[in-house]
Structure formats: C-alpha cells, structure tokens
Amino acid sequence: MKPWIIMSLGWTLALPLQLAAQPVELADLPHTESARAAIEQEPSVVRARHALEAAGHAGRKIAASPYEWTVGVDVQRRRYEAGSSSNEWTARIERPIRIGGKAELDQGLGDATVRLARAELGEARLEAARALADMWIAWLAAIQAGELAREQLSFAKSNATAVAKRRKAGDASLLDLNIAKSDEIEAQRQFDLAVAKKAKVAIRLQSRFPSLVMKPRPLSKPVELEQDEAQWRQHALAASDALQITQESLKLAELAAARARADRIPDPTVGIYTASEARSSQRIVGLSLSIPLGGTYRSEAMLEALKRVNVARAEHYRQRREVEQGIAETISEARTALRSWHLAEQSARMASENARLGQRGYILGEGDLQSLLLLRRQSVETASAALSAQAEALMARYRLLIDAHLIWGLADER
C-alpha cells in the first residue's frame, strides 16, 4: 500500500467522523519515514531514549529491593579451667524481608519510573518534531524569499535600464540615473542577504537533522483549521506528553508516600545459623530474628513524602493550565496568521501589479522615477509580509497537528 494511502487512513481514524472526509495537506513537510528517522536521531531524543533504558534497569532494581542475603562466620577458642581448649565456630545466613505490602509498592514504583521516562522520551520527540517542522518551513520560506529578492533585483535592473534609455533620449536627469543605480545596488544587497539567510537556515536545519534529504518545494497555501477549538483542545490534552510527565510524577510521588508510610513498620531480618561448640561435641541449629525500632527518621520521611505529593499535584495542575493556554494561543495564532496572510496576499498582488504598471508607464514616458521606486518598495514590503504571514500560518497549523500527535506517527510511540 502506498504511503499516502496509509497516511489518509490514519487521519480518517484520528479525526472525528465529520472531519474524516477533509484530507490534511502535508505537502510542505518531509515524509513520515524521513521525519521519524530524523527525529529519532536528534540528540535530545537519543538522550531520552538512553534515559528510558536506564529507567528500565532502575525500575527492576527498585522492584527487586536492595535487600540481599548476608553470610557470616564467627570463630572462637574456648579455654576451660582444666587447661584444655575448644575450637568453636558459628555460621549464619540472614536476609531482611519486606512486609506490609512493600514488595507490591516497590513493583509499582519501578513501573512508574519506567512510565515517567517513557513520557519524557515522548516529550523529547515532540520538541524535536516541533523544531523540525518550524525549521523546515523557515527553510522553504527562506528559499522563496531568495526568489522574491531575485525578482526584485531583476525589477530594479529593468528600472535602471529604463532610466538610462530615457537619459540618452534627454528625458531623465543624471540624478535620476544615479538614484536608479543606487536602487539597483540596494536590491543587489537585499538579494545577497536573502541568499546568506537561506544558507544559514539550511545549515541549522542540516546540523540538527543531518539525515534529512532536503528537497525544496513551494510553500502550500494555508487552509482553515480542520477542527474547532474544543476538538483541538481535546486532542492536544489527550496527547500531551508534558501533561503525561506530571501525571506520572504525581503517581510516582503517591507511591513513594505509600512506601514511606509502610516503611514506618520496619522490615525484620530473619536468618538461620548453625554452630559447633564444646570440642565439636555440641551442634546447634537455630533461627534468628531482628527488628529495627523505628523512630523520628521514619516519621519525618513519611511526612516529607506526603508533602512531595502536594508538590507533584500542584505541578500537574499548573502544567495542565499551561498546556491549555498554549493550545488556545496556538489556535489563535493559526487563525490570526491565516487572516493576516489573506490580507497580505491581496495587498502583495495589488502592489506587484501597480509596480508592473508603473514601470510600463515610465518606459513609455509617463510618471516619474520617485513614484516608480516607491511602487517597487511597496511591492517588496508587501511580498515579504505575505511570505512571512504564509510561513507563520503554516507553522502554527503544523504545531497544532504535532501537539495533537496527528502527524508523523507520533501517536504510535506512546
């Protein structure tokens, strides 16, 4: 089955039924396989993956408990009043044992440790995906900005040529020619800056995601959001790795508090021993039991753990509000950027047409140079504004899709 068919099926399942018929355009972004490979190789994701592997060992360590068997041997020499002596020894093996459900609590703590590390890996992937999408769109926008600068340079050269012709015909002054040449030089400078910026953005993108195959393509036209704010909020909250981290941290704190409460009853140490006494004529076999006497330390540890639960709960509520706020802001940014792009696009088309008509009129001997240059500058400014608004609208929309785990198979990694 072709990748785009699989992607369409994934979207049909992910979106509500009333939205399933609306295809989601991802032409601007790298393909899923390429993006996922780049994300997995991103340094912060690599670090988080190693942290998850370490957490797996930590979880098993917690579940196993630090208690181990202890082997001991005592050797002594007994001297009798009669002058004889006896070589005697005692051998023992003992181990503390967990009581009061502590083994089950430790298993829960181990599992929670792994879940927390997995959520942190998900957050690292999400941050890398956001960076990839933003940097990719910025790179495509920089390429288009370079093309715009090239067009403006060509326009400025045409203006300078037209002024030179009118100068020869006696219809333009030397001042006009110098102004036109100065405008051409400025256009060349702007073009050089656009080329340098394009190279800088490409270097940043390639440095962070070296496995990406960078094939430029025109930016697509921004579209309306597929869902309303309530649906975006529901998707993003359910998929939020940052919120999942605080949830798992809260569970971990609650389990730690339960473990500290259970630890107020000390674990006994049980063992078995054997001894040889009285010139090996006496053999002893017995059981040993020792119980620590709990005190202030254990009580304070429990109280500390309970307070840690309050801290984790407060952090969870804070994180939820922050996630909700971020979702609302991103939705607002996406819609505002879309409206701004529509207006900027209209303005850019009109300014470009005005500049073309102004140049044509100047060539035919109509209008003055100052008006022509003003029209060109307006064309440059409106075209740049339209491109910036287009890039911002696309970035905001893709941030929403990434936050909701609706592209690049991010939901499959949870």
Side-chain angles (χ1 to χ4, degrees):
M1 186 177 292
K2 295 182 178 180
W4 68 268
I5 297 178
I6 298 174
M7 188 178 298
S8 299
L9 290 175
W11 272 98
T12 302
L13 295 174
L15 296 177
L17 293 178
Q18 66 269 28
L19 302 172
Q22 301 179 12
V24 177
E25 180 59 51
L26 296 176
D28 302 300
L29 299 180
H31 294 302
T32 297
E33 295 80 4
S34 177
R36 288 182 64 169
I39 289 170
E40 289 302 314
Q41 295 173 24
E42 203 272 338
S44 63
V45 176
V46 173
R47 183 199 63 79
R49 189 164 55 249
H50 288 316
L52 175 59
E53 294 171 358
H57 295 292
R60 290 188 289 274
K61 178 186 72 175
I62 293 170
S65 94
Y67 294 161
E68 296 177 332
W69 289 101
T70 300
V71 177
V73 177
D74 298 327
V75 179
Q76 65 183 16
R77 183 177 180 84
R78 189 191 301 269
R79 184 178 297 277
Y80 296 96
E81 291 182 358
S84 60
S85 62
S86 170
N87 295 324
E88 301 174 351
W89 53 265
T90 302
R92 63 185 178 277
I93 182 171
E94 58 187 12
R95 182 185 190 277
I97 59 173
R98 290 174 290 181
I99 62 174
K102 293 175 186 176
E104 291 78 7
L105 288 171
D106 286 343
Q107 182 65 57
L109 282 168
D111 294 342
T113 300
V114 174
R115 290 196 305 269
L116 177 58
R118 186 174 291 114
E120 290 172 343
L121 173 58
E123 179 66 8
R125 286 191 176 113
L126 189 71
E127 291 296 336
R130 287 172 181 162
L132 173 55
D134 284 353
M135 295 172 71
W136 186 269
I137 296 299
W139 173 61
L140 296 182
I143 293 175
Q144 288 191 212
E147 294 302 316
L148 287 175
R150 187 190 301 277
E151 292 174 6
Q152 291 300 325
L153 176 59
S154 177
F155 193 87
K157 288 181 177 180
S158 298
N159 288 345
T161 301
V163 174
K165 289 180 179 179
R166 289 188 62 172
R167 167 69 176 164
K168 288 182 180 180
D171 291 338
S173 65
L174 179 59
L175 178 61
D176 286 345
L177 181 59
N178 289 339
I179 292 174
K181 286 293 184 181
S182 176
D183 184 65
E184 180 184 351
I185 293 172
E186 175 61 21
Q188 180 68 56
R189 188 182 74 85
Q190 294 295 333
F191 173 72
D192 292 343
L193 287 176
V195 171
K197 182 178 180 180
K198 178 177 66 175
K200 181 180 179 180
V201 172
I203 290 171
R204 290 181 59 198
L205 177 60
Q206 221 164 18
S207 175
R208 187 163 182 181
F209 302 100
S211 68
L212 280 177
V213 178
M214 298 175 62
K215 295 181 179 179
R217 65 197 74 174
L219 287 175
S220 65
K221 303 299 182 183
V223 296
E224 294 287 346
L225 298 179
E226 296 85 357
Q227 308 181 55
D228 59 31
E229 184 169 351
Q231 290 171 317
W232 279 119
R233 179 176 177 276
Q234 178 182 359
H235 277 302
L237 282 176
S240 174
D241 293 292
L243 199 57
Q244 182 72 16
I245 289 173
T246 59
Q247 287 175 339
E248 295 301 338
S249 296
L250 176 57
K251 293 177 183 176
L252 192 62
E254 290 173 341
L255 285 167
R259 183 63 169 83
R261 184 183 294 108
D263 209 34
R264 291 188 67 188
I265 302 176
D267 291 331
T269 298
V270 297
I272 185 172
Y273 66 91
T274 182
S276 173
E277 296 181 354
R279 301 186 183 92
S280 300
S281 63
Q282 297 178 0
R283 289 298 179 91
I284 303 171
V285 177
L287 298 174
S288 64
L289 174 67
S290 60
I291 303 176
L293 299 178
T296 303
Y297 178 85
R298 293 175 185 268
S299 297
E300 292 299 326
M302 182 195 70
L303 293 175
E304 178 193 3
L306 291 173
K307 294 302 180 182
R308 296 290 181 189
V309 173
N310 294 337
V311 172
R313 184 174 292 111
E315 174 61 18
H316 175 62
Y317 292 149
R318 186 203 64 80
Q319 186 64 55
R320 183 181 180 88
R321 287 195 296 270
E322 186 173 306
V323 169
E324 290 176 343
Q325 177 184 342
I327 295 167
E329 288 177 352
T330 306
I331 292 173
S332 177
E333 289 171 0
R335 288 174 175 164
T336 300
L338 182 62
R339 289 192 296 269
S340 176
W341 172 74
H342 282 307
L343 295 173
E345 184 75 3
Q346 294 174 17
S347 178
R349 285 198 301 266
M350 294 177 64
S352 177
E353 180 65 13
N354 291 340
R356 187 186 66 81
L357 293 174
Q359 186 184 61
R360 180 180 178 185
Y362 186 83
I363 293 173
L364 296 176
E366 303 172 0
D368 59 271
L369 179 60
Q370 295 297 335
S371 297
L372 176 60
L373 296 181
L374 177 61
L375 290 173
R376 192 190 76 79
R377 292 190 186 99
Q378 289 177 342
S379 177
V380 171
E381 293 173 359
T382 55
S384 297
L387 179 58
S388 296
Q390 182 181 8
E392 285 298 324
L394 291 171
M395 284 181 183
R397 178 168 177 265
Y398 290 135
R399 284 188 207 112
L400 282 173
L401 295 175
I402 290 171
D403 288 348
H405 289 198
L406 293 176
I407 62 173
W408 288 341
L410 292 172
D412 300 338
E413 303 294 342
R414 297 199 79 187

